Amino acid sequence: MIKFSVLSFLTTLFLVVLKFHVVKNVKNKSCFLNTFGVSPIVTKLFPKYIDKSINRKVPITCKKSKIITFLNNNIYEDAYDRIMNKLDLLIKESYDITDHINTFKGFLRKYLYEIKKHKSCSSQDFLNNFLIYIDTFKKYQNYEFPNIHRYDQTLYEWSLKFWSELIDKKNSKFLGISNIKKIEEWRDKGHNIIIFSNHHIEADANIIKYFFHIQDSEQISRNIIFIGGHKIRVDPLSRPFSVTANLLCIYSKKYIENPPHLKEEKTLFNHKSLNVLRNLLNKGKQIIWLAPSGGRDRKGADGKIHISPFDPKIIQTFNVFAKRSKVKTHFIGLALNTYNICPPPNTIDVDEIEKERTCNYSPVYLNLGQDIFDLYPNMDEGQITTYLYNYVNQLYKQIS
């Protein structure tokens, strides 16, 4: 009985003190909120990038509108300032990248604007995404891509997350999902799968990986090999994303000629890459993506995006290699409509790395097609390019 009375007294005393504390804070119109709380998942995934100093309590007003204003402005701006400071340090370490970093700062500002406007990314994730980018930039700053590059496995999740923050998932459209199962079955049987696609933006490889990943096909997302051109390898700003994908590196026709004094060196590099391709196809179980146009699609005079013509020599090369491999090979069509996420410049300059980068929060649309040889069993080999181009255009019309 005595124990019960003492317990009741202590409980009552605690409640009185608590009530007094709450009333006092309400009168003062102040409370405390962990404004930069780090979730256990984020801490586990990115322990080295968590800035302990931002896990602090900051006094804020209890008025709802001001809380929202404070969270949208001050917290994101705090993360933004930290990222900018890191970028400024990069410039101090290497002045020759000043122009590239200044270009990236413009991209950073637009990225921040989009995620704040659409509430697609927390301030902590925003900070982590760009800290990892900067760390990867430094790590691979002087990296020279070999003929075949295998992706950095430690960056797999980040490569998906960085761009997925800009994807309007609710309004995105993914067609041809049933064909993913076919690709998995073919690969399990030892077959090769070549995916011929149009190409919109630099981030297409990461968005394609994201597409397969969210459809529970991580084996494709991690194993697919992308034919990588010149700019995504030499552009310092693209390189952190390029190293997150498997790349078979080949110079396209428009870059192999420029500058002229490197033509022989680039030609030799391409020969080695083709030998790698031949060996991969002979081995089997390969999934390879390429854009036979050799570059990104641009807007025409009518303001619409048209799929660039496919190069017959590229497609014929893959067809010859596929037949010589003696391994069953499937030619798949894929249409991408990703343009708005990271629009390319309307002009093409083989001498210059783009001086402006922008991004938008936008839906993406992908349409995975079937095996062109199954669709057109009586197709003449000399018409493969025409059939593939027309088929990808058909797929594209369904998502544009």
Side-chain angles (χ1 to χ4, degrees):
M1 184 69 178
I2 294 175
K3 287 183 179 180
F4 179 79
S5 299
V6 172
L7 181 61
S8 298
F9 172 77
L10 291 175
T11 302
T12 303
L13 180 61
F14 171 78
L15 292 174
V16 170
V17 173
L18 177 63
K19 182 177 181 181
F20 173 79
H21 178 75
V22 171
V23 170
K24 183 178 180 181
N25 276 284
V26 170
K27 286 182 178 180
N28 292 334
K29 296 182 179 180
S30 66
C31 60
F32 289 91
L33 179 68
N34 187 346
T35 60
F36 236 134
V38 183
S39 71
I41 295 177
V42 171
T43 304
K44 184 177 179 181
L45 286 175
F46 310 115
K48 66 178 287 190
Y49 299 100
I50 301 301
D51 189 337
K52 304 299 182 183
S53 67
I54 58 178
N55 244 341
R56 65 195 186 283
K57 292 183 177 180
V58 180
I60 61 172
T61 175
C62 286
K63 292 183 179 180
K64 188 174 181 181
S65 60
K66 289 188 177 180
I67 290 176
I68 294 175
T69 301
F70 183 86
L71 291 174
N72 284 346
N73 292 329
N74 291 357
I75 290 182
Y76 282 102
E77 292 306 320
D78 189 3
Y80 173 80
D81 289 342
R82 292 169 188 271
I83 297 167
M84 289 292 282
N85 288 338
K86 292 280 188 179
L87 293 174
D88 289 337
L89 285 176
L90 279 181
I91 293 176
K92 290 181 180 179
E93 293 171 4
S94 181
Y95 286 104
D96 61 337
I97 62 171
T98 300
D99 290 342
H100 298 308
I101 297 301
N102 287 335
T103 296
F104 188 70
K105 286 180 178 180
F107 175 85
L108 169 66
R109 285 189 287 269
K110 190 61 163 60
Y111 189 104
L112 174 60
Y113 172 81
E114 293 294 325
I115 63 168
K116 284 177 62 178
K117 178 181 178 181
H118 298 280
K119 301 177 182 178
S120 63
C121 176
S122 72
S123 51
Q124 183 63 59
D125 285 343
F126 166 62
L127 178 63
N128 290 336
N129 279 340
F130 280 87
L131 288 182
I132 295 175
Y133 175 90
I134 293 170
D135 191 56
T136 307
F137 180 96
K138 293 169 66 176
K139 179 180 178 181
Y140 287 99
Q141 187 171 353
N142 299 311
Y143 179 68
E144 292 188 10
F145 284 83
N147 299 95
I148 181 73
H149 164 81
R150 294 299 180 179
Y151 79 106
D152 186 331
Q153 297 185 30
T154 65
L155 297 172
Y156 175 77
E157 287 81 7
W158 169 75
S159 70
L160 303 180
K161 185 172 180 57
F162 187 99
W163 292 103
S164 69
E165 311 289 18
L166 293 171
I167 295 176
D168 178 355
K169 300 170 184 63
K170 181 179 179 181
N171 295 304
S172 293
K173 183 186 294 184
F174 302 116
L175 303 180
I177 304 301
S178 60
N179 292 323
I180 295 177
K181 187 68 175 178
K182 294 180 182 178
I183 293 177
E184 291 175 334
E185 291 174 351
W186 290 333
R187 185 173 183 270
D188 289 341
K189 292 178 180 178
H191 298 184
N192 293 317
I193 301 95
I194 313 296
I195 301 175
F196 295 89
S197 168
N198 68 310
H199 182 22
H200 272 185
I201 63 175
E202 287 179 312
D204 275 344
N206 292 291
I207 292 178
I208 291 170
K209 289 194 303 177
Y210 170 81
F211 164 70
F212 285 113
H213 183 86
I214 64 173
Q215 302 301 331
D216 296 323
S217 188
E218 191 171 324
Q219 66 157 308
I220 296 180
S221 183
R222 286 184 178 272
N223 288 290
I224 186 171
I225 299 172
F226 297 89
I227 302 298
H230 171 70
K231 279 196 173 181
I232 64 169
R233 293 181 281 128
V234 300
D235 183 346
L237 301 181
S238 298
R239 195 178 288 124
F241 301 115
S242 300
V243 297
T244 68
N246 298 307
L247 294 179
L248 178 60
C249 304
I250 297 178
Y251 290 98
S252 64
K253 183 178 179 180
K254 63 185 176 185
Y255 288 108
I256 206 167
E257 303 281 349
N258 188 70
H261 70 277
L262 293 179
K263 180 179 179 180
E264 184 176 349
E265 179 183 329
K266 291 180 179 180
T267 301
L268 179 60
F269 184 92
N270 275 5
H271 284 319
K272 291 180 179 179
S273 293
L274 290 176
N275 284 332
V276 172
L277 173 62
R278 186 182 296 108
N279 292 335
L280 288 171
L281 294 177
N282 288 338
K283 184 179 178 182
K285 302 186 71 172
Q286 306 300 319
I287 303 174
I288 300 174
W289 175 94
L290 74 148
S293 63
R296 289 169 287 177
D297 303 330
R298 261 52 176 210
K299 286 185 177 180
D302 57 0
K304 296 181 179 180
I305 305 167
H306 301 279
I307 296 180
S308 301
F310 288 177
D311 186 339
K313 291 183 179 179
I314 294 176
I315 295 175
Q316 288 300 329
T317 297
F318 274 83
N319 186 41
V320 170
F321 280 17
K323 289 194 299 182
R324 289 178 179 175
S325 70
K326 306 299 182 183
V327 175
K328 176 71 174 179
T329 301
H330 305 269
F331 280 15
I332 305 297
L334 171 66
L336 303 175
N337 187 351
T338 57
Y339 189 92
N340 290 330
I341 290 284
C342 186
N346 285 328
T347 58
I348 301 174
D349 191 339
V350 297
D351 296 316
E352 296 289 339
I353 291 174
E354 292 157 26
K355 292 183 172 61
E356 183 178 352
R357 295 297 211 288
T358 188
C359 60
N360 302 291
Y361 180 83
S362 170
V364 294
Y365 310 91
L366 285 81
N367 192 355
L368 182 64
Q370 302 179 52
D371 186 343
I372 194 80
F373 296 121
D374 291 339
L375 289 174
Y376 307 103
N378 299 319
M379 172 180 58
D380 184 271
E381 285 196 3
Q383 295 180 304
I384 292 179
T385 300
T386 301
Y387 274 90
L388 267 174
Y389 181 75
N390 290 339
Y391 182 48
V392 172
N393 269 279
Q394 290 175 25
L395 296 172
Y396 185 72
K397 288 178 181 178
Q398 297 173 19
I399 55 172
S400 60

